[in-house]
Amino acid sequence: MEGEAETVVGSSSKPCGQLEDYYIPDYILKPGAQQVLVDHAPPCPIVVFINSRSGGQLGSSLIKTYRELLNEAQVFDLSEEAPDKVLHHLYANLERLKMEGDILAVQIWRTLRLIVAGGDGTASWLLGVVSDLKLSHPPPVATVPLGTGNNLPFSFGWGKKNPSTDQEAVKSFLGLVKHAREMKIDSWHIILRMRIPEEGPCDPIAPLELPHSLHAFHRVSSSDSLNMEGYHTFRGGFWNYFSMGMDAEVSYAFHSERKRNPEKFKNQLTNQGQYAKLGLKQGWFCASLSQPSSRNLAQLAKVKVMKRAGGLWEELHIHHSIRSIVCLNLPSFSGGLNPWGTPGTRRAADREFTAPFVDDGLIEVVGFRDAWHGLVLLAPNGHGTRIAQAHRIRFEFHKGLAEHTFMRVDGEPWKQPLPKDDDTVVVEISHLRQVTMLANEPCRSKNVNDPSSPAPAHDSHGDGKDPAEEDEAEEDEDEWEDGRRKFGAADTFKLPDEIDIAHLS
């Protein structure tokens, strides 16, 4: 609701300055538009992507305000235009103008910043598109919290409450974007392989109707015994978390209910109330009583990790009580909670772990028994069950008592069919490159080299590997290499393999 929205994000406002500081002329955005001369290049040119379906009516209202303040052509409604096509055309036009000696195009290419307004899934969609473009100078991204959880914006100091949409609030946000600092974070590549289901879709979301961050590709390689005809392989990327189990089941129920009855989900407060009700209804608060042991993750999957780049796979022991696993990149989950916390040195089990840095090439793996276990995160120094920190993690599902489980990537859930015969469903997560975010203060995320960050307890990328281990690791690294070439986050973005837009720069 409007009265519950935030007007200013962060600890203090920053001067917006002149709106010309953010303005991009038509001829930069639209190939063929008449070229114009400007007195000076804008110091903070921006392109804005807004999901008009997010935040009840806030998305549409936000689009209207941004278009009133800026050039309408630099504000895009994601329900009408895909970001991959927009950025592909924009950067192709920038490269053409740069080669023609256009000084303004060079300046905008150097200083361009992106704003994305939507839920965590929308933000991840745009980050995947930017990653797949493989630009030599990718633009940093600021996030506006228009979803329910808003973990991505919260992690970088942009708040978690839906914003106000009046002109003064938008100008205040633009000032924060202009003065925000750039921050590198790890990108995580995910591959899902499963046999093509013979039955129809699981209403109201089909099993193959996956989030924007996962899209299909078909690859049959003689070096990969699992990749064979009759299987679907999906790849994508995430920046906040991948989760599996009961928390994803509640999220799936929420998204399904919102698809059936969108009129019930008009604002953030109502959405959070509905989420809590569904959690109770699904039995998340009394999982040991309401859920059979066959749904425990130890019964569903074999979990392996590679703790450092080039290391060997190690099988993890998952306690039989764990009903939800979260693979976490940022210190914000379920609306701002930090499941990993800061490991100490008192307990022997914690001594091998470090603080959760967002650029250390490691992902934190945390387990939960039920929602009551999750409530310990509200207490000082509260955390979930720390399981591992890893450079790669693999889940292998074999035939069992359960027909399906639930998975979620950056807030977008799906119902995952499990093997019925002697098949294997594989989910593998691995580190792949980094993206640049814009951070406002106070920022919860920490870099390894940030002076305010706690010192790492150990070097997770140390040497000392046996040569035979290195050879085995190299062979294993090649297993998914074709699929790791890009995230595949933008299904509509297709460039021939021999063309790399970064080479134009």
Side-chain angles (χ1 to χ4, degrees), residues 111-270:
T111 57
L112 180 66
R113 296 187 162 193
L114 305 183
I115 294 175
V116 57
D120 288 333
T122 301
S124 293
W125 182 18
L126 181 65
L127 290 173
V129 169
V130 172
S131 296
D132 277 353
L133 282 170
K134 297 180 182 177
L135 299 166
S136 60
H137 184 68
V141 180
T143 52
V144 180
L146 274 190
T148 302
N150 298 318
N151 293 293
L152 269 166
F154 188 60
S155 295
F156 297 98
W158 301 110
K160 57 183 177 180
K161 291 184 179 180
N162 293 163
S164 297
T165 60
D166 59 274
Q167 289 195 4
E168 289 307 310
V170 169
K171 288 179 181 178
S172 176
F173 187 83
L174 289 174
L176 293 171
V177 170
K178 182 198 289 187
H179 294 90
R181 62 185 174 96
E182 296 186 11
M183 189 174 189
K184 294 284 188 183
I185 69 167
D186 292 323
S187 299
W188 293 92
H189 185 264
I190 180 171
I191 281 186
L192 162 65
R193 176 170 298 143
M194 57 177 286
R195 184 175 288 280
I196 302 171
E198 296 178 359
E199 67 276 6
C202 300
D203 293 329
I205 303 174
L208 300 184
E209 194 175 311
L210 299 176
H212 285 298
S213 55
L214 284 172
H215 286 279
F217 77 103
H218 302 283
R219 175 175 57 88
V220 178
S221 170
S222 59
S223 64
D224 187 348
S225 60
L226 287 179
N227 199 0
M228 59 187 69
E229 294 292 347
Y231 281 79
H232 271 328
T233 306
F234 300 84
R235 67 171 168 216
F238 69 91
W239 291 264
N240 189 4
Y241 66 87
F242 165 85
S243 70
M244 177 176 62
M246 285 205 67
D247 74 290
E249 182 175 358
V250 175
S251 178
Y252 179 85
F254 173 84
H255 280 256
S256 300
E257 184 66 22
R258 186 164 60 179
K259 273 201 166 188
R260 294 189 188 99
N261 303 292
E263 70 281 356
K264 294 182 179 179
F265 300 83
K266 289 298 185 183
N267 59 68
Q268 187 180 26
L269 187 61
T270 301

